[in-house]
Amino acid sequence: MIGQILIAAAAGCASAAMFASIVSGELISLVLLYLSPLPLMVAAIGWGPFSAAIGGALAAIGLGAIFGIGDLIGFAIAVALPACWLGHLCLLGRLLAAGEGAPPALEWYPVGRILLWIAGFAALAIGAALLALGSSAAEITATLRSFMQRVFSIDETAAGGDAERWIDAIVSFAPSVAAIAATLTLTLNLWLAAKVTATSGRLSRPWPDLKMAALPPMTLVALCVAAAFCFSGGLLAMLAKIAIAALVMAYALTGFAVLHTLTLALKSRAFWLGSTYAFVVVFQWPMLALAALGLADAVFGLRRRYLRSHPPPLPVA
């Protein structure tokens, strides 16, 4: 028990330090901020979610005591809560009914459902951050606009038409881009935490087949409902756009899984996959094509059709 508390305290201190590094204003602090859930996720997967909860609580209290209640709430919502809950889901499993004489099988929580939780946490974190800026869409937009003008050193009284249009475009897309980034970074943190615990031998579940990850069917319904709320206007439309961005990013990640499946029979598979990843990193816009691929798989079952026509080879006796 003492060892678990020490691990929790160390993870909490590391996560809090990475989260607070943003006050330095250095570029590397942005990377550390995005990786701040990683220590708590390693503690959650390797030593249990209770350990991560202790570390997260200690870190949140410490940040609140030093920087104020705003940082306490922000850390708790954006870092501690997702780390603890996602770590819990990674270790969640249930026994399946087995036939007579057969050993019991354990079914682990599906990767696709974990990805949906990640999108939900990303939307929650960005939505909470926007609500901290104001209680209405006009107030939030005005605050973001003022912030962007300070970032780009634009005087509101002297700003020209082109500068105004650029600021308006950035303010319009900033919440959605933030939701996409939050979904991607939470996914990356969870993958890194699982890799670390697997390498150390503390991962209690077998490594999942990531190329078969699929979002639950009701995710499409949620996406359509969020799209409908975009036409309502005001704060509700702003929050709906954040939800859409997070879900589209989740479908883009499943698009990578679809691509890994559909290229199984290619001799130059490594080249095509490497080129795709390089294009995504350099240009970003191919992520939209991967999101479309993920959506097409959800609607038409591309992977299921491919595996039906290209069954895996039978093992040699």
Side-chain angles (χ1 to χ4, degrees):
M1 185 64 182
I2 296 177
Q4 189 176 18
I5 293 176
L6 291 176
I7 291 293
C13 289
S15 187
M18 296 166 73
F19 183 84
S21 67
I22 194 65
V23 299
S24 68
E26 299 293 335
L27 184 59
I28 188 63
S29 65
L30 188 61
V31 178
L32 294 175
L33 176 66
Y34 284 137
L35 293 176
S36 57
L38 181 58
L40 291 177
M41 285 183 176
V42 171
I45 299 175
W47 285 267
F50 179 69
S51 179
I54 294 175
L58 292 174
I61 293 171
L63 288 170
I66 298 173
F67 299 104
I69 189 67
D71 286 272
L72 186 153
I73 296 174
F75 180 85
I77 294 177
V79 179
L81 180 60
C84 296
W85 185 248
L86 294 174
H88 165 70
L89 294 179
C90 286
L91 304 178
L92 193 61
R94 64 179 180 180
L95 287 173
L96 296 177
E100 186 176 352
L106 191 61
E107 181 185 27
W108 296 97
Y109 198 77
V111 174
R113 291 183 180 272
I114 295 177
L115 186 56
L116 181 59
W117 275 103
I118 289 175
F121 278 124
L124 174 64
I126 303 304
L130 288 184
L131 292 176
L133 301 178
S135 56
S136 67
E139 189 175 352
I140 293 171
T141 301
T143 305
L144 287 174
R145 182 183 179 84
S146 176
F147 174 75
M148 291 299 174
Q149 286 173 340
R150 291 197 304 270
V151 169
F152 294 103
S153 301
I154 297 176
D155 187 1
E156 188 173 358
T157 59
D162 291 339
E164 289 290 323
R165 284 191 289 272
W166 273 108
I167 292 294
D168 289 339
I170 293 173
V171 169
S172 176
F173 287 105
S176 298
V177 172
I180 290 172
T183 305
L184 184 59
T185 52
L186 272 178
T187 305
L188 177 62
N189 276 294
L190 188 62
W191 182 83
L192 286 173
K195 276 294 184 182
V196 169
T197 51
T199 303
S200 64
R202 296 198 64 90
L203 184 63
S204 59
R205 67 177 288 173
W207 190 261
D209 186 6
L210 296 180
K211 68 178 180 294
M212 296 309 299
L215 293 168
M218 289 302 294
T219 309
L220 275 174
V221 178
L223 186 63
C224 293
V225 171
F229 278 120
C230 286
F231 296 96
S232 62
L235 182 60
L236 187 59
M238 185 176 289
L239 296 177
K241 291 176 182 177
I242 292 172
I244 288 176
L247 290 175
V248 168
M249 186 63 211
Y251 274 112
L253 293 173
T254 61
F256 279 108
V258 176
L259 188 66
H260 275 261
T261 301
L262 299 184
T263 55
L264 283 173
L266 295 180
K267 293 182 178 179
S268 55
R269 181 172 184 256
F271 169 77
W272 289 112
L273 291 178
S275 300
T276 301
Y277 279 97
F279 270 101
V280 169
V281 171
V282 175
F283 299 107
Q284 285 84 51
W285 63 261
M287 192 70 79
L288 294 175
L290 289 166
L293 185 60
L295 284 166
D297 178 71
V299 175
F300 302 109
L302 300 181
R303 280 177 289 185
R304 186 177 64 252
R305 294 169 182 265
Y306 176 84
L307 293 175
R308 190 183 302 147
S309 59
H310 298 78
L314 295 175
V316 179

